[in-house]
Amino acid sequence: LYNNMSNNYRVLIAYCSREKDVVQKAFLDGGVKREDLFHFSTSKRMLFIPLLLRLRKLFIAESVDIVHTFFLHSDILGCVAAFGAGVNRLISTVEGQIVLDEVHGVNKAKQLCYSVLNRIVRPHFYKTIAVSAQLKSELIQNHSGEEDKVEVFNIGIDIPSEEEINIDSRDDKKEKVIAAAARFSKDKQLEYLIKVIPDVVREVPQARFIIAGRGDEEKNLRQQADDLNVQSYVSFPGWIEDTKKLMREIDVLVITSLREGSPMALSEALSFSKSVVAFNVPGIKEVICSGEDGLLAEPFDLKQFSTFIIKVCKDHEYAKMLGKNGRKKAEAMLSSRMENKKLEALYAELLNVHP
């Protein structure tokens, strides 16, 4: 988004993160100019009002025309700060569960508070972008989103070239690498992958597993691997910054969550012609057609899930067919160029409606 729109817009990125240096490095490595990055502390001392005032000051100082927010917290802060700065052009993007629940550590009282705040700010957004049809439906039915004010945009990625993919590079490798890349939280259900490792290695002894990411559940996941005595088959490398390198090294991407918006790892795996095994849940099934460009097991059916992993590990030609079809779908539906074109048209429309 930043790089592709820089000719027509100056894009400023205001973000909050406890891992400022890591996030900043990712932005800078991606081509973002340092002067376009604005970090806001998430310490307990940085309460709502001071953060709100800093955002308002930024919007005024930089003569911001459009405020585009991501996730409910930024929707609330961005909306209030924008109106305080006299900015009335607002767009929101929803990529996951709108009001988080107990699984994410949000108690009932906070859920109610966030739900009320969402209903207050949502009508002030010109458009809300949902990354899947399922999220659009949830937004309309449960969170006061008006149908004509919600649009579905697939999350775009940079499609790698054929040379970058190097499709046949793993043909002669004896080892089969199965990977998951996700935040280590309860809602990602990564324990399901660990549970199927014994069945997979029984049929595919050369299988190796990578579970990439960080989060509160890491200790539990490592303990589960120890309890099942599969620790020698699985590695936990933490966050992997070079996802292209990861995609070149794996054979299968697995997605274990039972609820998804439109995971970036899925799009990247398809673009690299990799086999994908996931559950047949909203968000995922909007992208994957099971048996054509990936395999979808029924939710909670770990036997079917492990069978599908074994299938693509043992049947090279079948896996190659899935990967080839997945690549075609990524080119047709999931390119960042397509997403940016739609988003730029939306910005132009908004500027025209609110000159």
Side-chain angles (χ1 to χ4, degrees), residues 68-283:
H68 188 160
T69 59
F70 296 79
F71 306 108
L72 183 55
H73 288 82
S74 66
D75 292 348
I76 297 166
L77 282 165
C79 181
V80 178
F83 278 102
V87 181
N88 65 343
R89 305 181 187 99
L90 301 173
I91 292 176
S92 167
T93 291
V94 174
E95 296 184 357
Q97 191 171 342
I98 300 156
V99 178
L100 301 182
D101 53 24
E102 289 92 340
V103 174
H104 299 86
V106 180
N107 61 39
K108 291 289 187 182
K110 285 186 177 181
Q111 288 177 47
L112 178 60
C113 179
Y114 287 138
S115 181
V116 170
L117 288 171
N118 174 72
R119 288 177 179 272
I120 292 172
V121 303
R122 188 62 51 196
H124 295 289
F125 286 87
Y126 178 68
K127 293 284 186 181
T128 295
I129 298 168
V131 299
S132 71
Q134 174 65 23
L135 282 176
K136 175 178 179 176
S137 177
E138 290 181 16
L139 191 63
I140 293 169
Q141 292 176 12
N142 303 319
H143 302 284
S144 295
E146 299 174 34
E147 186 166 3
D148 62 344
K149 295 182 70 174
V150 183
E151 294 195 17
V152 176
F153 284 17
N154 291 117
I155 295 178
I157 60 167
D158 292 329
I159 305 294
S161 66
E162 295 287 348
E163 291 73 21
E164 285 182 284
I165 296 175
N166 196 8
I167 296 174
D168 297 322
S169 63
R170 294 193 55 78
D171 284 2
D172 58 349
K173 301 290 180 63
K174 293 181 180 180
E175 192 175 71
K176 292 293 181 181
V177 180
I178 300 103
R183 183 180 68 255
F184 290 176
S185 58
K186 290 181 179 179
D187 60 307
K188 295 300 181 181
Q189 280 102 14
L190 289 163
E191 69 274 11
Y192 291 161
L193 176 56
I194 296 176
K195 287 179 180 179
V196 303
I197 291 177
D199 288 343
V200 174
V201 297
R202 194 176 299 117
E203 296 292 326
V204 189
Q206 71 273 30
R208 295 295 178 269
F209 296 80
I210 296 172
I211 304 180
R214 285 180 184 163
D216 297 338
E217 287 296 297
E218 181 169 353
K219 182 178 179 181
N220 291 337
L221 293 171
R222 288 180 179 272
Q223 184 60 56
Q224 185 179 17
D226 290 344
D227 293 343
L228 290 174
N229 198 29
V230 295
Q231 63 271 31
S232 62
Y233 293 97
V234 60
S235 63
F236 297 86
W239 285 117
I240 296 179
E241 293 185 18
D242 189 351
T243 55
K244 288 186 177 182
K245 182 175 184 294
L246 173 67
M247 290 300 164
R248 280 192 291 268
E249 292 177 350
I250 71 173
D251 298 284
V252 186
L253 177 81
V254 297
I255 301 173
T256 53
S257 51
L258 297 174
R259 176 193 171 85
E260 279 290 352
S262 180
M264 188 72 73
L266 170 62
S267 300
E268 291 180 332
L270 293 176
S271 73
F272 271 85
S273 299
K274 301 300 179 179
S275 299
V276 175
V277 176
F279 287 115
N280 187 27
V281 295

